[in-house]
Amino acid sequence: NELNEKKQSILSSLSAQGENYDAFIKGYVLDADGNELEGEDVFELLKDLQGAFDDGKFPVFEAADGRVVIPLTGYIALEKDMDTVAGIIMAHKGETPGLGAEIATPKYQAQFVGKKIFKGDEFVSVKLRKGGAQDPEHEVDAISGGTKTSDGVTAMLYNSLEHYLPLLEAKRKAAVEQVVFAPVRDESNEENVENNE
């Protein structure tokens, strides 16, 4: 049941609840340099995520459409650009009802969709700002009366995502190259076809 719950949370972070997890998601583990580690059980590592991070093991889930999901106290999904938040599912137990628990509500989590974790090439993550978001691309409103929770979520997002920078930067570079060089490749292929005719 716990495994199914994790799989459903991963799909939910992508707004892909109707998908078959095993057909749509590939889970794997990276080292600190962003290289894939063989023989690691991603779900086993999720049981002690901080311990996995301390051991230099970083579980990641990649959707068939190129989006990725990064585990934290919950899951954050990123669009194919590896910059835009596709969705977030936060699990928070033991918070004062109505205060910190608000971060686990779909309404609050919806504020993260569309936020950016990079400012140009600089990794900035997403911040929860007391008094209301002032940078609409990189901030969401902090929880009123939940300063500790808001600060904790800001730190968790930054610290968790930072572990994945080698992967995110490599995928961002590949995406840019595809956009920049795809038209060049298409033109040269057309020329080759014309030359061969």
Side-chain angles (χ1 to χ4, degrees):
N1 284 351
E2 196 179 316
L3 179 61
N4 279 340
E5 194 177 304
K6 287 177 179 169
K7 288 180 175 182
Q8 287 312 307
S9 291
I10 290 164
L11 289 171
S12 293
S13 72
L14 293 161
S15 298
Q17 292 90 328
E19 294 287 347
N20 174 329
Y21 174 89
D22 295 318
F24 190 63
I25 304 286
K26 175 190 173 209
Y28 53 96
V29 180
L30 300 171
D31 66 15
D33 296 322
N35 301 312
E36 198 170 328
L37 293 171
E38 296 297 324
E40 294 288 342
D41 181 340
V42 287
F43 289 106
E44 196 58 39
L45 293 176
L46 292 182
K47 291 178 182 173
D48 178 14
L49 189 58
Q50 188 56 55
F53 286 175
D54 292 345
D55 290 342
K57 296 176 181 177
F58 307 102
V60 66
F61 302 89
E62 191 164 344
D65 62 12
R67 294 180 293 167
V68 298
V69 177
I70 293 172
L72 22 95
T73 306
Y75 302 92
I76 187 166
L78 298 174
E79 296 290 357
K80 287 181 257 189
D81 65 4
M82 298 299 131
D83 184 13
T84 308
V85 176
I88 191 167
I89 300 291
M90 285 189 270
H92 244 269
K93 297 174 178 89
E95 294 287 353
T96 309
L99 291 178
E102 186 182 332
I103 68 161
T105 64
K107 182 181 176 204
Y108 187 75
Q109 292 172 17
Q111 293 184 68
F112 288 82
V113 175
K115 299 298 178 198
K116 306 278 188 185
I117 63 168
F118 287 92
K119 197 177 272 188
D121 286 334
E122 180 192 358
F123 169 67
V124 295
S125 188
V126 178
K127 293 180 178 72
L128 282 68
R129 182 180 285 274
K130 191 175 176 179
Q134 294 172 6
D135 177 351
E137 257 198 350
H138 304 98
E139 295 178 348
V140 296
D141 298 344
I143 298 157
S144 55
T147 303
K148 278 186 179 168
T149 299
S150 296
D151 291 348
V153 170
T154 295
M156 174 200 60
L157 285 168
Y158 188 93
N159 295 333
S160 297
L161 288 167
E162 188 177 37
H163 293 303
Y164 293 88
L165 286 178
L167 170 75
L168 301 179
E169 288 169 347
K171 286 189 172 289
R172 287 182 77 204
K173 185 175 178 228
V176 167
E177 285 176 359
Q178 195 159 6
V179 169
V180 172
F181 296 117
V184 175
R185 278 194 296 272
D186 290 345
E187 285 171 25
S188 63
N189 285 343
E190 285 171 22
E191 285 171 21
N192 289 342
V193 169
E194 287 171 18
N195 293 342
N196 290 339
E197 285 176 354

